[in-house]
Amino acid sequence: MRRYLARKLLIYILTFFIAATLDWLLPRLVPGNPIEQLLSKIELQPGTYNATYKLYMHSFGFDRPWWKQYLSFWTALFHGNLGVSIYDFPKPVTSVIADYVLFTLALLIPAILLAYYAGNKVGAMAARRKSLDNTVLPVGYLLTATAYPWLALLLAFLLAAGGIGHFFPLSGGFAFGILPNWDWTFIWSLVTHWFLPFLTLFLVAFGGWAIGMRNLIIYELESDYTHYLEALGAPIRLVRKYAYRNAMLPQLTGLALQLGVIVGGAIVTEVTFAYPGLGYLVFQAVGNDDYFLLQGIFLFIILGVLAANFIVDIVYVIVDPRTRVGISGA
Amino acid sequence: MTVLGTDEAYADRGAPVAGAGAGAPKRRRFEFLYFALRNKKLIIGLSVVLLFVLFAIFGPLFVQHSLTTYGPPRRPPSASYPFGTDYFGLDVFTQFVYGLRESLLVGLIGGCGATVIGMTLGFISGYKGGLIDEGLNVLCNVELTIPGLVLLILIAGFLHHTSPLIEGLLIAGTTWTWSMRAIRAQTFSLVSRDFVGLARLSGEKSRSIIVREIAPNMSSYLFLVFILLFGGSILVAASFDFLGLGPAGGMSLGIMMMNAADWSALPLHTWWWFVPPGAAITCVVGGLYLANVGLDEVFNPKLREL
């Protein structure tokens, strides 16, 4: 078990290292540096361009040798210093992120967990009943084949903009004109604004889990241990219980693999609903050429995904005894 | 998630057509055709995809208005504007035809690119084993952990100008990971077989063993991988374009949805602007996934419903 977790941890540290290096390297690789782009937007007195350019290059440290820049990047990172946001000037990037991250977590955690739970249950039921399977399978495939922005637009149109009714607000994290304050009107406003983005993320992920579980159960029910149990005369409930448990392992691996996709989906969904989470912030950062903010959010999302991955690993150790005795199961 | 990664199940099942031998290649082909024509999922899925591909190729012949001809704004679908007009009075049908072309093209570039990367790294990793395998595996795990779309946004944020080709390649660069894992697992199971050992003994070079002995024995599997990556790339491209990072000045299904969202299609109830592009994506990708399941049943005798 220790070897398994240590190996995983090593990969996570390496991932963070590579992600951070990418974060540092990308703006330096791409033609046309950010300073040039910044300066191209302001009108300067003729003849002052070179001097201003030099000044900026110097104050951002771009004129130092690359390894010094790289080292100071890491030093700043370990001090929790991600620079100053341009979009929300002069706030530090970390505190801008802190303002938005709770909304994203409130969206992602329930969507991921509920879709995973419901999808697995419904998928297992579909593998059992042909009548249910005939609806779950096509609906599941349609949902996984749906682009996040489209489902978000469709739900917003039908349920918020009046396609069917005005049941939910169209955009934002809470209603305009209410001050954030822990009373029931504010909480209710939060919940109604939260629901449609949540539903979008939930539905797409749900389809994938349901199909995955259905296929895995059918596959497990054809394996040797199933036939052996059946030959022993075990009740069908017991057989299915074992099949479900065995099918859970690849689904759990799948959960770790899907995290990135769901985070990507959350970005698009938040943008559609103007929901004030990290995805919306990323969008603002791109639109405003706020590179520090963009880099900061990237690192922050990586950290979040790594933490979630590690939690999945620990659950895996609990669920799969093979990882505990050193036979690698994952 | 089995839709996009049956790799575990596959690894256990062994290569779908491995050990086909040189017996009767002709009969096998007819056998595949026999089962392919009787597989409803394959027929339906493939027909839907083909329909959209044909539409993308020949669609411009049916277009009545150009991409920049302004008509009456915000008109619902009618005879002269089959999909209605947008906020500015541009024909939505025209945008749809050209958008579909670009979305399919980007998806194809992304799918091909990702398959090539996944195949190359998967073959090398699975065939060579040892340190090379270890290194490539770590690389794959690192890429798997970094959310693809977020990395794409970071790159696009700095890049500023993209073309369909660059967009497709960027998508390929972030989606190849699971295919490499799956192909690596398949290669592992083939490498230990006698015919590969024989090829080694006879002094064939690694490259030609991979190309001539291993790849043909999992060609059907590689095709399945390509189909899934093709569909996945279309979905990623839609999100990417929707965020406004797509090719500037181009038209794609994602860009249509972005424009609709930006120009108040929701409060103005101009649903005909954003429903067709998203529906087309769902149909094409759903068709690809369905065809994938059908093909899997055709190639793998164990899955056939007789």
Side-chain angles (χ1 to χ4, degrees), chain A residues 122-139 214 218 240:
Chain A
V122 171
M125 280 194 310
R128 191 157 53 210
R129 248 173 270 144
K130 194 76 194 158
S131 57
L132 187 65
D133 194 30
N134 288 337
T135 47
V136 168
L137 200 60
V139 170
R214 171 207 175 262
I218 289 176
R240 290 197 187 283

Side-chain angles (χ1 to χ4, degrees), chain B residues 269-286:
Chain B
H269 286 217
T270 46
W271 53 267
W272 50 86
W273 198 358
F274 62 83
V275 168
I281 292 174
T282 305
C283 288
V284 172
V285 178

Side-chain angles (χ1 to χ4, degrees), chain B residues 253-265:
Chain B
L253 299 179
I255 292 176
M256 281 178 80
M257 290 193 278
M258 171 189 79
N259 286 336
D262 283 354
W263 296 97
S264 349

